[in-house]
Amino acid sequence: MIKVGVLGFGGLGQAAAQVLAPKQEMCLVAAADKAGYAYDPDGLDLHRCAAAYRDQGSIGHAAGVGTLSTNSIAELIQAAEVDGYFLALPNLPNTFMASVTQQFMDAGWQGVLVDALKRTSAMEQLLTLRPALQKAGITYLTGCGATPGLLTAAATVAAQSYAEVHSVTITFGVGIVNWEAYRATIREDIAHLPGFTVDQAKAMTDDEVAALLDKTNGILKLENMEHADDIMLELAGICGRDRVTVGGIVDTRNPEKPLSTNVQVTGRTFEGKISTHTFTLGDETSMAANVCGPAFGYLKAGVNLRQKGITGLLTAAEVMPQFVC
Ligand code: NAD
């Protein structure tokens, strides 16, 4: 049984807990949010944790298992025995994920880390930590959500038909009932809009975000995003990062996807034919399903890699996720 922790207990963190609930091979034993953490070596009660977060503002209020703390990540790392963590944290500021990684190394923690990081520049910071992670005995798999993640891996598989890859075009459609369910995701998306920076999006109050969404009828249209699919495909030798394009539409007022999420991989075969492979996600699959499923598939792969002595930093385009039973 793989003992799993989830850092961040917002939209994705709670969906991750739900995804894990029926699994035989993995058990959620630890979780943290900004104001506290919960740990139970026999497995956390999802409903108790979700109720504490919803009604009292932090998982730290969960009776019997919760602890309130303003330093929840560092304290949980020390307190909990965990094989691997899914980092479902906001990457705000843009250096946050790298700083959390440093915290794991400073604590002398060893195990598997998986993230669903989105920005190229944030992943570049992690890449500089590669030798340190290897030395620390941590197997870190980055970019393991939907995009980057599932779609980047699909592009890597699709590229195998070609002698040369000309373009990888990722187009995503996301539908959520309200933006408050995924605050970090929406703030980070706003940071990709023309005229916005990560720091500006981080500094926006909830009312300011709501006012912006009122102006657009709840829709965010994103083009030419700085998305780490590009660096991941470049590192995997598929194509240069300039050939990778990511954009999409997020509807924050309707759970139905505004368009079907897909990746198109265009290339030239060894016979000289130009062709395009398209991989389209089912419209009924939510963002949460397409992020959390792959994240744990990669976490399982990471555990197996670590058992073989492989540590350091790898991306979702270099490793095949393994299905968690
Ligand atoms: P959210 O805002 O719903 O939740 C964030 C959680 O992190 C909250 O529980 C908050 O309390 C906790 N948190 C914040 N600061 C903390 C700290 N210092 N210590 C401990 N916990 C802290 O976030 P979300 O919408 O679930 O998004 C999480 C991340 O997933 C974002 O970075 C988003 O960009 C990413 N994401 C990736 C993909 C993908 O396909 N790769 C898709 C969607 C979202």
CSV table of all heavy atoms in Angstrom, one decimal, residues 22 92 153 296:
chain,number,residue,atom,x,y,z
A,22,PRO,N,-11.5,5.0,-3.4
A,22,PRO,CA,-11.8,3.6,-3.7
A,22,PRO,C,-10.6,2.8,-4.1
A,22,PRO,O,-10.7,1.6,-4.4
A,22,PRO,CB,-12.8,3.7,-4.9
A,22,PRO,CG,-12.4,4.9,-5.6
A,22,PRO,CD,-11.8,5.9,-4.6
A,92,LEU,N,1.7,30.4,-6.7
A,92,LEU,CA,1.6,31.8,-6.6
A,92,LEU,C,2.4,32.2,-5.3
A,92,LEU,O,2.0,31.7,-4.2
A,92,LEU,CB,0.2,32.3,-6.5
A,92,LEU,CG,-0.7,32.0,-7.7
A,92,LEU,CD1,-2.2,32.2,-7.4
A,92,LEU,CD2,-0.3,32.9,-8.9
A,153,ALA,N,1.9,13.8,-22.6
A,153,ALA,CA,2.3,12.4,-22.7
A,153,ALA,C,1.7,11.9,-24.0
A,153,ALA,O,2.3,11.1,-24.8
A,153,ALA,CB,1.8,11.6,-21.5
A,296,PHE,N,-1.8,10.7,-10.0
A,296,PHE,CA,-1.5,9.5,-9.2
A,296,PHE,C,-0.9,8.3,-10.0
A,296,PHE,O,-0.2,7.5,-9.5
A,296,PHE,CB,-2.8,9.0,-8.4
A,296,PHE,CG,-3.2,10.0,-7.3
A,296,PHE,CD1,-4.4,10.6,-7.3
A,296,PHE,CD2,-2.3,10.3,-6.3
A,296,PHE,CE1,-4.7,11.5,-6.3
A,296,PHE,CE2,-2.6,11.2,-5.3
A,296,PHE,CZ,-3.8,11.8,-5.3
